[in-house]
Amino acid sequence: MSTVGDIAHKVRSKNAGPFWLTVDVFCGTRDAFARISQGLDSADVAAALQVDPAVLKRFDLANLNVPGPYTVKLEGARRSGFQTVSIALIRDPRYVANIRSWCDDIVVKCTAKAKARVEGDFGIELRIIGLDSTLGPLDTAAKSGTEVGVMGIVTAGTQALSMEVAKMLNPYLLHHPLSEDEEMPTFAFPFSPPEMPRGAIHEFCLNHILSLDDPMEAFHLDVIEVGV
Amino acid sequence: MVRVLIPSGALGLGYDRAALARGIAMRPDVIAIDGGSTDSGPHYLGTGTSKYSRNSTKAEWRELMAARAEAGVPLVIGTAGTCGADDAVDWLLDITREIAAETDSKLKIAVLKSGQDAEILKSALKAGRIAPLPPASALDPDVLDACTNIVALAGAEQIAAALQTGADIVIAGRTTDTAIIAALPLQRGCHPGGAWHGAKIGECGALATTHPNSGTILIDFDETGFTMQPMGEGVRATPHTVSAHMLYENSDPIRLFEPGGYLDVSDAVYTACDDRSVRVEGSAWVPGPYTVKLEGARCSGFQTVSIALIRDPRYVANIRSWCDDIVVKCTAKAKARVEGDFGIELRIIGLDSTLGPLDTAAKSGTEVGVMGIVTAGTEALSMEVAKMLNPYLLHHPLSEDEEMPTFAFPFSPPEMPRGAIHEFCLNHVLSLDDPMEAFHLDVIEVGV
């Protein structure tokens, strides 16, 4: 079976603002356009990207039209929390081979401990650099080498809480054993302290347009002369 | 006989609650726990802060304070707040006051501070009272001025002085790991070689047993030696696990230097009492001049860290030359655009970021992370150069003849400020005429 890449001239992907990912298929010929627009099943695209088919938008375009009233797009960002990041490096082959369950166990145990010891909401995420930290479960062919990095990301409502929970995560990243019946392992921190405060994190929260009667109505223009 | 209960290797590391309860039921004379180490690096001494979370420390310290109240004996912590600097001692004292208030407890607290004044040490240096330990060389007085914190490691004498106040709780700044355990047995006339040797075996709690995570152990000291037994269910101490701990983190397997002398275990004999406890006799204490070790840390720059994730197989296969090319090009660009010294290092996570070139069998998988570390004299310069590194990590091509690639940042901005970084800069001993001369002891009563 041919892939889209075999038939099309080029396939490219880019984010379209904060909320959408585009996949542009440039067909090159009318024949290729016909084969892809008729042969490519949207459900298969949704399945490959692991998204709900209902949110997939598809445009089979032979040409472009650009009309409309005068509107400007609005962008806005708001604070969505505070983050602290810690990294540990793992080389022990048994730990590298079982890194996913090691991480899962740490998230469960550290979350329970922190819930008992702090007030306020927080989230702990561990990503495995050198395996699938880029794509997560979407990376179905991920394979690690002789080393992985485990990156802990603690998100909370304040920087202090995020750092406090990251400090609770510290001994797990440094010393958590795969089982109770083995000597306490010690892994490597690339530096000490491993905790790096990312400060406030933000999210885009507008995806709207504003109608204008006059294009300058929503803008402010100033002229400054220097060196006079 | 003096019975010492050691709840765990360090406050904040956790322990088996049932093992601690069993230990309390054994009616110890003192409960001793370590609060720190230099193992976690110079940041903590440099900043006078604790490695462990305040809430975790408070949760465990509350349990130990309750155990102490039940046992009715003193609770001693050495090297409080990871580094044992005066600020870290005050931090734990604040936590102790909070717990005392919350539990409506009446307590006498002895606070031993180990912080050292640079001016006083400069006078001592002039007077020939500071000597280097290998591999350090003679001390430059400017180094003392540059330190953000200097501590001296207290020995058994200073802990004994704190216990003699009749305190319920002793919060000590920097001490040797062993001093908090050896102090009471020595004070009560137990065998000095046995006291120091037992203290060394017990300093990491259950690390000298078959189950390190169980934490709690009990040591009985007497006129001829010591006997060690773990408190965890099914946990065993054997001549193998006990003798192995004498070698643990010691630069000399036979001798352990302490303020006022050294322990010599050449003639020590380890005997199994049963299948879970061990008796040790024959260790010797060799008295010497009274010196205390100095530790100091100073700021050595500021760092910013950025991470990019690479999955393209051709880039993963050529990741080393990609990184080398970026370091050369970005360094040249930044040198032309900023004033001041800086350094750019790229480490390849998922290949050999742990050991670097020492890892001769490193092999990558389908993904690597490239971690950029920019070090400079100020936070602002470090961030400025890291921002120049940003487009390289995101878009640098392997050759000029290919489309511009885009890699993944795990988050944006990728730049994470690590703030000031520190280095240890003292490895010297200070001679004292009186053990208390370089230390400060206060007694505080709370809840009265």
Side-chain angles (χ1 to χ4, degrees), chain A residues 50-161:
Chain A
Q50 295 180 23
V51 297
D52 179 353
V55 302
L56 187 115
K57 292 197 288 183
R58 173 169 174 159
F59 305 90
D60 293 277
L61 301 177
N63 48 47
L64 304 169
N65 299 305
V66 190
Y70 199 91
T71 59
V72 289
K73 193 175 165 196
L74 298 174
E75 287 172 356
R78 65 181 166 197
R79 206 170 69 198
S80 59
F82 292 82
Q83 264 181 356
T84 302
V85 170
S86 306
I87 294 173
L89 306 172
I90 319 281
R91 284 181 73 252
D92 183 304
R94 198 164 67 85
Y95 281 78
V96 171
N98 294 285
I99 195 68
R100 176 86 51 214
S101 59
W102 187 77
C103 287
D104 290 347
D105 194 36
I106 288 178
V107 170
V108 169
K109 291 203 164 79
C110 187
T111 300
K113 179 176 279 183
K115 277 202 174 156
R117 293 180 175 181
V118 301
E119 304 268 321
D121 286 342
F122 63 87
I124 301 174
E125 183 188 357
L126 296 189
R127 293 225 207 161
I128 304 166
I129 301 179
L131 182 64
D132 64 357
S133 62
T134 312
L135 293 182
L138 287 176
D139 192 342
T140 52
K143 215 171 136 291
S144 61
T146 49
E147 176 188 84
V148 292
V150 172
M151 178 166 66
I153 306 173
V154 178
T155 310
T158 65
Q159 185 65 57
L161 180 57

Side-chain angles (χ1 to χ4, degrees), chain B residues 73-392:
Chain B
V73 297
L75 168 64
V76 182
I77 184 163
T79 315
T82 304
C83 59
D86 292 356
D87 285 348
V89 171
D90 288 335
W91 177 83
L92 189 63
L93 179 59
D94 275 350
I95 291 173
T96 310
R97 285 181 192 274
E98 273 177 30
I99 296 168
E102 287 162 15
T103 55
D104 205 15
S105 306
K106 182 174 171 292
L107 290 170
K108 190 174 186 181
I109 305 168
V111 178
L112 179 74
K113 288 196 171 165
S114 308
Q116 303 298 310
D117 181 85
E119 291 306 318
I120 294 173
L121 288 181
K122 281 197 274 185
S123 304
L125 181 62
K126 247 185 218 160
R129 298 175 72 83
I130 294 180
L133 293 173
S137 48
L139 186 58
D140 177 344
D142 291 346
V143 171
L144 293 168
D145 282 327
C147 287
T148 51
N149 274 307
I150 304 171
V151 290
L153 278 73
E157 292 77 8
Q158 297 84 354
I159 297 296
L163 284 168
Q164 260 161 354
T165 65
D168 301 303
I169 295 177
V170 174
I171 300 177
R174 190 66 171 119
T175 66
T176 68
D177 293 353
T178 40
I180 54 167
I181 302 170
L184 190 64
L186 287 170
Q187 197 180 15
R188 300 226 180 131
C190 296
H191 188 270
W196 284 110
H197 194 182
K200 167 58 199 167
I201 298 308
E203 51 109 12
C204 286
L207 201 55
T209 74
T210 52
H211 289 69
N213 282 338
S214 61
T216 313
I217 61 168
L218 189 75
I219 304 182
D220 289 335
F221 295 90
D222 54 41
E223 299 72 30
T224 55
F226 71 93
T227 304
M228 192 272 245
Q229 55 175 313
M231 291 293 101
E233 182 84 56
V235 181
R236 299 164 57 228
T238 69
H240 170 86
T241 63
V242 171
S243 63
H245 199 75
M246 184 61 209
L247 312 181
Y248 182 71
E249 63 184 12
N250 277 353
S251 55
D252 182 326
I254 298 298
R255 296 188 303 173
L256 181 70
F257 283 85
E258 293 284 343
Y262 66 88
L263 165 70
D264 186 327
V265 301
S266 306
D267 298 323
V269 177
Y270 302 80
T271 314
C273 305
D274 46 44
D275 67 351
R276 52 175 295 277
S277 58
V278 172
R279 172 77 185 164
V280 182
E281 293 185 2
S283 338
W285 171 252
V286 184
Y290 202 90
T291 60
V292 290
K293 193 176 167 191
L294 298 174
E295 287 171 357
R298 64 181 167 195
C299 176
S300 59
F302 293 81
Q303 264 180 358
T304 303
V305 170
S306 307
I307 293 174
L309 305 172
I310 320 281
R311 283 180 74 252
D312 182 304
R314 198 164 66 87
Y315 281 79
V316 171
N318 294 285
I319 195 67
R320 175 85 53 215
S321 58
W322 187 77
C323 287
D324 291 347
D325 194 36
I326 288 178
V327 170
V328 169
K329 290 201 165 80
C330 186
T331 300
K333 179 177 280 182
K335 275 200 175 157
R337 295 181 178 179
V338 301
E339 304 268 321
D341 287 342
F342 64 87
I344 301 173
E345 183 188 357
L346 296 190
R347 294 226 206 160
I348 304 167
I349 300 178
L351 181 64
D352 65 357
S353 62
T354 311
L355 294 181
L358 286 176
D359 192 344
T360 52
K363 215 172 135 291
S364 61
T366 49
E367 177 189 83
V368 292
V370 172
M371 178 166 65
I373 306 173
V374 178
T375 310
T378 66
E379 176 94 65
L381 181 58
S382 158
M383 180 56 81
E384 177 74 5
V385 175
K387 285 188 170 192
M388 292 184 187
L389 181 63
N390 181 316
Y392 287 100

Side-chain angles (χ1 to χ4, degrees), chain A residues 140-189:
Chain A
T140 52
K143 215 171 136 291
S144 61
T146 49
E147 176 188 84
V148 292
V150 172
M151 178 166 66
I153 306 173
V154 178
T155 310
T158 65
Q159 185 65 57
L161 180 57
S162 159
M163 179 58 81
E164 179 73 4
V165 175
K167 283 187 168 197
M168 291 183 186
L169 181 62
N170 180 315
Y172 287 99
L173 293 179
L174 191 60
H175 289 308
H176 190 60
L178 269 173
S179 72
E180 285 304 310
D181 296 324
E182 60 192 278
E183 283 191 55
M184 186 183 80
T186 300
F187 303 105
F189 284 146

